[in-house]
Amino acid sequence: MKKLVDPIENFEKLLQKYPDEVKNTYEFYSFFKKLPLANQRFDYVPIIELGTIFKYKKPKIFFEMRKFSKKSSVIDLITSSETDLERAIDVINKLKNQ
């Protein structure tokens, strides 16, 4: 499970490091584009949960990234799917604490 925690921690670092400014879109785009390829061996990659948290924590970047959804199925999934924010945070925290 440690390997699944690594991308979650990287995501949290991105959230802390980059302010919610359009110029930082590429950093998040790059992260999400690499995520499924890096984690194919896991039973459950919390893409919807990460996308939901991303939408609420970085709304400017999130909405800018929607422009790329037609070019990438991963970005489309992240920008078009959503769950309850509290549920998303709970799922991420449970995965981190396993």
Side-chain angles (χ1 to χ4, degrees):
M1 199 51 76
K2 176 65 176 147
K3 295 226 185 256
L4 179 56
V5 173
D6 291 344
I8 292 171
E9 289 176 348
N10 290 340
F11 175 70
E12 291 172 339
K13 289 176 186 175
L14 283 173
L15 289 176
Q16 291 175 359
K17 183 176 181 179
Y18 294 100
D20 189 22
E21 299 172 359
V22 172
K23 69 180 183 180
N24 296 320
T25 302
Y26 178 75
E27 301 302 328
F28 289 91
Y29 176 84
S30 178
F31 169 79
F32 282 115
K33 283 286 288 182
K34 292 177 188 173
L35 187 63
L37 299 176
N39 295 299
Q40 289 178 346
R41 66 185 151 250
F42 300 123
D43 293 334
Y44 176 67
V45 177
I47 291 176
I48 305 299
E49 289 79 4
L50 292 177
T52 299
I53 293 168
F54 174 53
K55 178 180 179 178
Y56 286 93
K57 300 281 185 176
K58 303 293 182 191
K60 291 178 185 174
I61 299 172
F62 176 86
F63 286 105
E64 180 68 18
M65 205 159 70
R66 291 177 77 181
K67 295 177 182 177
F68 302 102
S69 65
K70 291 182 181 176
K71 297 179 182 179
S72 168
S73 59
V74 173
I75 301 304
D76 182 49
L77 176 65
I78 290 163
T79 59
S80 64
S81 302
E82 180 179 357
T83 187
D84 177 70
L85 179 60
E86 288 184 35
R87 181 189 173 287
I89 292 169
D90 287 345
V91 167
I92 297 299
N93 286 335
K94 284 178 185 173
L95 289 171
K96 286 173 30 181
N97 292 322
Q98 285 186 354

